[in-house]
Amino acid sequence: MVKSSQKAYLRTITPKFQTLIDLSVIEILSRHASDEVYLGQRENPHWTSDSKALQAFQKFGNKLAEIEVKLTNKNNDPSLYHRVGPVQLPYTLLHPSSKEGLTFRGIPNSISI
């Protein structure tokens, strides 16, 4: 490294082909499907006959919706300018819902019944 720091530095950079593969995999794994079910949701609304479980699940879903509203309000509050940084990209990572595609938001519910 003493002889040629530039060559040593260039050896640490991932080759173009490997970078392309890595970015492609990240993008594919980050996309949301059109039929994806998110945290606080179920494909089948009659997933159980237990009324207490249904009430608790509904309460949980309502709480997630409240959290999403709070996140949106904080993102839109100019006094909290540090939430978006210089790129002006609002925080959406933990929003409970999302649309199809690469959205940088949504928490998929990996439980399928």
Side-chain angles (χ1 to χ4, degrees), residues 39-42 47-48 50-68 70 96:
L39 190 62
Q41 301 174 349
R42 293 282 186 181
W47 56 277
T48 182
D50 184 353
S51 62
K52 286 185 180 183
L54 289 171
Q55 286 176 331
F57 191 72
Q58 181 64 42
K59 184 178 177 182
F60 176 66
N62 292 342
K63 188 66 176 174
L64 288 174
E66 289 175 24
I67 290 169
E68 187 163 352
K70 285 181 183 179

Side-chain angles (χ1 to χ4, degrees), residues 15-57:
K16 282 191 237 179
F17 182 70
Q18 185 63 44
T19 302
L20 180 63
I21 290 173
D22 293 348
L23 290 174
S24 297
V25 169
I26 289 169
E27 183 177 348
I28 290 167
L29 294 176
S30 298
R31 288 191 173 274
H32 294 285
S34 60
D35 61 346
E36 198 157 27
V37 178
Y38 295 95
L39 190 62
Q41 301 174 349
R42 293 282 186 181
E43 283 185 63
N44 181 357
H46 307 292
W47 56 277
T48 182
S49 60
D50 184 353
S51 62
K52 286 185 180 183
L54 289 171
Q55 286 176 331
F57 191 72

Side-chain angles (χ1 to χ4, degrees), residues 65-83:
E66 289 175 24
I67 290 169
E68 187 163 352
V69 168
K70 285 181 183 179
L71 286 172
T72 301
N73 290 340
K74 286 182 177 184
N75 284 336
N76 294 329
D77 186 347
S79 69
L80 300 174
Y81 65 91
H82 61 282
R83 292 180 62 79

Side-chain angles (χ1 to χ4, degrees), residues 5-18:
S5 60
Q6 188 174 15
K7 284 184 181 179
Y9 172 73
L10 289 174
R11 281 194 301 248
T12 66
I13 297 174
T14 308
K16 282 191 237 179
F17 182 70
Q18 185 63 44

